[in-house]
Amino acid sequence: MIKIQDVARHAGVSAATVSRVLNGRSTVNPELAGRVLAAVRELGYRPNGVARNLRRRQTTLWAVLVSDVGNPFFTSLVRGVEDGGRQFGYSVVLCNTDENRAREAEYIAVALADNMAGVIISPADDSTDISALVAAGTAVVTIDRELAETEVDAVMVDNEKGAEMATAHLLSSGYRRIACITGPRRMSTAMRRLRGYHRALRASGVPLDRALVRHADFREEGGYSAMAALLDEGVEMDAVFAANNLMTVGAVECMTERGVPIPERVGVIGFDDIPWARLFRPGLSTVRQPTYELGRAAAQLLADRIDNPARPAARMVLQTELHPRESSRPRHG
C-alpha cells in the first residue's frame, strides 16, 4: 500500500507538506503543491479508506452557513443542499450569519468543534476567513459568493452575464437613463453585477453616469433608501436595475409610496426571481437564478470532496434566465 511518506519521497518534500496539500491548504508553494499532486497521480496514492470511513462515521452532518435566511433566494438554495445531502447520507444544520463576520466566525468554530463532515458557506463578504476549516482538512464549498484568495470548491451563477442581460433588456425596450442599485463593494456578487450593467451600457453606446449607480446592502431597506436618494436628488432616470430580489422589493415600495408609476415613468427589473413576482402589479421583470440547482450542485461538490480530498478545487458556474414582465414593457415613441 502506498503511504503518505512514499508520496513525500517521490515529490522530494516532507510528509507534512503532502498532508497540507491533500487537505487543500493554500499556504503551500504552488510549485511544491504541483509536485505533490503529480506524485499522487504517478503513484496512484489514495487516502486510507478505513481512516476515511471512520472519519465519516464521526458525523454525518453538514453545516450550511447562509448570509441572510430571510431572503427567499437562500430558502430555495438550502432546500437544494438538503435534498442533495440526504441523497449522500448527510443531514444539514442551517446557520444564519446575518451578513455578520463575527457571527460567521462563531459558526465556523462550532463546525470545527462538532467535527462536521463538511461546510457549505455563502461568505458574509470577500474577506471571510475559512483558513481554520482548510487547515483542519474540513471539506468546504463556497456558494453564491467566491473567495479569491482561497483554493476551495465553489458554485455560483454567472453574475456578470445575468446583469448584462437585465440591462440589455431594458435598453432594447427603449430605456436609456438606467439606474443600478447594487450591493456592497466588499462583495464579489455586487461588483460582478455592476460590471455586467457597465458592459451592457458600453455595448449599446450609452454613456455611464455614476450618479445613476448606488451601493446598498442587498436588503429591502437598502433598496428603499437607494431609490429614495435617487428620487430626492432629482436624478434623471427612466428605469432601474436592482441587483437582488429584496432590494427590488424595497425600490418598488419606495416608488409606490412616492406615486411613481411603473413602468410609465420608471421601468424596473430585478435579479432573482422572487416567488411572488407575478403577483406584483405590474408583474416584476427579473433575472432568475437556478437557486435550487445551486444547492444541489454544492451538495455534489461537497460529497465528492469528502470522498476524494486530493482532487483539485472545482468551480461550477450556472446560468441565469431572463423573465420579462410588465414592469419593463417596451417604451413607445
Side-chain angles (χ1 to χ4, degrees):
M1 179 182 292
I2 303 297
K3 299 180 180 178
I4 198 169
Q5 291 82 0
D6 300 319
V7 175
R9 280 194 295 272
H10 193 80
V13 300
S14 68
T17 297
V18 175
S19 178
R20 287 199 299 272
V21 172
L22 296 183
N23 284 328
R25 294 190 61 173
S26 59
T27 54
V28 180
N29 178 286
E31 191 269 332
L32 294 181
R35 280 160 47 188
V36 169
L37 293 175
V40 166
R41 288 193 300 270
E42 290 165 11
L43 296 176
Y45 172 75
R46 294 290 181 273
N48 185 290
V50 173
R52 183 174 68 244
N53 289 336
L54 285 171
R55 185 167 63 248
R56 286 187 60 171
R57 279 198 293 272
Q58 287 174 358
T59 176
T60 57
L61 296 177
W62 289 349
V64 180
L65 280 62
V66 300
S67 48
D68 183 6
V69 75
N71 188 329
F73 167 83
F74 288 110
T75 305
S76 177
L77 184 149
V78 172
R79 178 66 182 272
V81 172
E82 184 178 35
D83 288 352
R86 287 175 61 85
Q87 177 185 340
F88 297 113
Y90 294 93
S91 298
V92 166
V93 176
L94 177 61
C95 309
N96 177 40
T97 67
D98 205 30
E99 306 280 12
N100 183 303
R101 287 186 61 200
R103 184 179 295 185
E104 181 180 67
E106 290 174 6
Y107 280 131
I108 288 173
V110 168
L112 286 168
D114 290 351
N115 199 23
M116 298 282 189
V119 173
I120 293 174
I121 179 171
S122 172
D125 61 46
D126 292 356
S127 57
T128 285
D129 184 6
I130 62 169
S131 59
L133 293 170
V134 174
T138 303
V140 183
V141 175
T142 62
I143 192 166
D144 181 45
R145 300 170 185 172
E146 204 170 11
L147 296 175
E149 300 300 319
T150 309
E151 286 282 327
V152 296
D153 297 317
V155 57
M156 66 210 68
V157 300
D158 192 335
N159 288 288
E160 191 167 338
K161 184 176 179 181
E164 181 182 18
M165 187 163 47
T167 310
H169 164 69
L170 290 172
L171 290 164
S172 66
S173 297
Y175 301 93
R176 284 297 176 269
R177 296 283 300 171
I178 302 170
C180 175
I181 301 175
T182 191
R185 290 178 176 84
R186 68 180 189 276
M187 293 184 185
S188 58
T189 47
M191 300 311 293
R192 286 189 175 130
R193 290 172 194 179
L194 181 60
R195 283 203 297 269
Y197 163 81
H198 287 168
R199 198 161 72 181
L201 293 179
R202 284 197 303 271
S204 294
V206 175
L208 171 66
D209 183 349
R210 298 194 183 278
L212 287 165
V213 176
R214 302 299 158 111
H215 289 269
D217 59 1
F218 274 146
R219 300 199 173 183
E220 188 174 339
E221 296 82 0
Y224 186 103
S225 298
M227 178 52 67
L230 287 165
L231 295 172
D232 290 343
E233 293 169 21
V235 175
E236 181 189 347
M237 61 179 168
D238 58 13
V240 60
F241 161 54
N244 91 327
N245 51 6
L246 297 184
M247 293 195 303
T248 307
V249 172
V252 168
E253 182 183 0
C254 179
M255 285 188 281
T256 300
E257 288 184 4
R258 301 286 188 95
V260 177
I262 302 170
E264 289 79 12
R265 180 175 162 194
V266 178
V268 177
I269 190 167
F271 203 107
D272 298 339
D273 197 14
I274 317 165
W276 54 88
R278 293 184 185 87
L279 303 180
F280 272 79
R281 290 295 177 267
L284 278 178
S285 297
T286 59
V287 171
R288 178 189 175 274
Q289 296 195 70
T291 50
Y292 179 83
E293 292 80 2
L294 279 169
R296 289 298 296 251
Q300 179 71 63
L301 282 179
L302 191 62
D304 288 348
R305 174 60 59 191
I306 291 168
D307 286 339
N308 185 11
R311 70 165 172 77
R315 182 175 182 270
M316 292 182 63
V317 181
L318 307 185
Q319 297 304 314
T320 57
E321 296 175 355
L322 178 67
H323 286 245
R325 298 187 180 97
E326 199 59 16
S327 68
S328 63
R329 68 170 179 258
R331 293 204 145 190
H332 301 290

